[in-house]
Amino acid sequence: MTLKEQAVTFLGLHQPGNPVILPTVWDAWSAKLVQEAGFSALTVGSHPLANSLGKEDKEGMTFTEVTARIREITAAVTIPVSVDIESGYAQKPADLINGLLDAGAVGLNIEDSVHSEGGRLRTPQEHADLVAELRQAADTTDVHFVINARTDVFLRQDTGNPAERLESALTRLRLAAEAGADVLYPVGRHDPETLRTLCTDLPLPINAIGIPAEANRAALAESGVARVSFGPFLQNALTEHANTLIAPWR
């Protein structure tokens, strides 16, 4: 498939109540593992990618390092690839879109914590404006690049009590939807009621975190989730298993 066809296919996989499962990978080996297991698409996580490069998450990598690894991944598989680009590595939106397309990706996650500025949280409108710039840049190409707008408010302790965090997430993600996002990502592990509220009250498909060992796809589907990714948890589980295997050889 061309990148244009991959992007259309990828977006079409996002079905509320019938979520696409995107195992989160970090290199060509893990990407091939996912494709050979029969998954329809995958996502590249910043945390496992940084670990694989001996770097720190929260933009311890450069965008050049990220795109170099993405090229290796897209050369190894034929399914659509989306990339967690953290808060954008202080790059211009057009450079992010063009760099990822050149590397063979058809989607991205963009978060509202700005790691290059001490981890501050963008204002809701500021984050929406960045999403709008990414959409505008993508629209100059012939690929409908799939933009997954993420908010970190549930992960932070400086954003109020649980009810205030939920309201803040709803506000931020509604603005991101109006700005041109395709998918909304209220990152964090949520109780069923909160997740159902997010899926019901927001106007676009919702991305939720899945824990590989828990295999709760049915419960996430029942909540209305349209997309499930694993964050660092697949790599963490494999690390744990590898340690178990090699421990007797010490």
Side-chain angles (χ1 to χ4, degrees):
M1 287 190 289
T2 65
L3 288 182
K4 184 176 181 178
E5 292 168 336
Q6 283 193 19
V8 171
T9 297
F10 183 49
L11 185 57
L13 294 172
H14 293 73
Q15 301 170 14
N18 181 29
V20 59
I21 310 302
L22 304 177
T24 304
V25 308
W26 52 92
D27 62 6
W29 171 80
S30 54
K32 288 182 70 175
L33 181 80
V34 165
Q35 177 170 282
E36 290 168 4
F39 289 91
S40 302
L42 59 83
T43 186
V44 180
S46 67
H47 196 157
L49 177 57
N51 281 347
S52 76
L53 295 173
K55 305 284 185 176
E56 295 294 324
D57 193 27
K58 299 184 178 178
E59 301 193 358
M61 302 172 286
T62 65
F63 186 55
T64 299
E65 289 173 322
V66 171
T67 53
R69 178 54 59 86
I70 300 307
R71 285 188 180 89
E72 296 172 358
I73 290 169
T74 58
V77 298
T78 58
I79 56 179
V81 173
S82 184
V83 183
D84 174 0
I85 59 164
E86 306 199 58
S87 51
Y89 303 97
Q91 301 292 305
K92 294 178 180 178
D95 292 339
L96 291 171
I97 295 293
N98 292 331
L100 290 172
L101 281 172
D102 286 346
V106 295
L108 63 78
N109 295 358
I110 184 73
E111 63 192 58
D112 53 4
S113 294
V114 189
H115 302 298
S116 60
E117 298 177 21
R120 72 173 182 86
L121 193 65
R122 291 189 179 101
T123 68
Q125 190 59 55
E126 183 186 8
H127 192 52
D129 289 345
L130 175 56
V131 170
E133 290 182 72
L134 288 165
R135 172 53 62 211
Q136 184 178 22
D139 285 349
T140 65
T141 75
D142 67 346
V143 177
H144 184 91
F145 205 84
V146 179
I147 297 173
N148 186 14
R150 167 177 151 169
T151 182
D152 290 349
V153 294
F154 289 107
L155 301 181
R156 302 172 65 112
Q157 300 304 306
D158 58 354
T159 52
N161 61 41
E164 290 169 333
R165 285 196 283 272
L166 174 58
E167 192 55 42
S168 176
L170 290 170
T171 297
R172 288 170 173 274
L173 294 175
R174 285 177 185 133
L175 286 170
E178 293 169 6
D182 298 292
V183 187
L184 304 174
Y185 190 10
V187 67
R189 300 188 69 186
H190 307 297
D191 61 77
E193 182 180 353
T194 298
L195 187 56
R196 198 169 293 111
T197 297
L198 289 162
C199 292
T200 301
D201 289 8
L202 290 168
L204 292 175
I206 299 301
N207 187 165
I209 282 283
I211 308 300
E214 294 181 4
N216 61 342
R217 184 186 188 280
L220 293 170
E222 185 180 353
S223 295
V225 168
R227 167 174 173 160
V228 178
S229 50
F230 294 157
F233 296 109
L234 176 59
Q235 189 184 63
N236 290 352
L238 291 176
T239 299
E240 211 173 297
H241 186 55
N243 283 332
T244 301
L245 290 174
I246 62 179
W249 293 88
R250 291 195 187 106

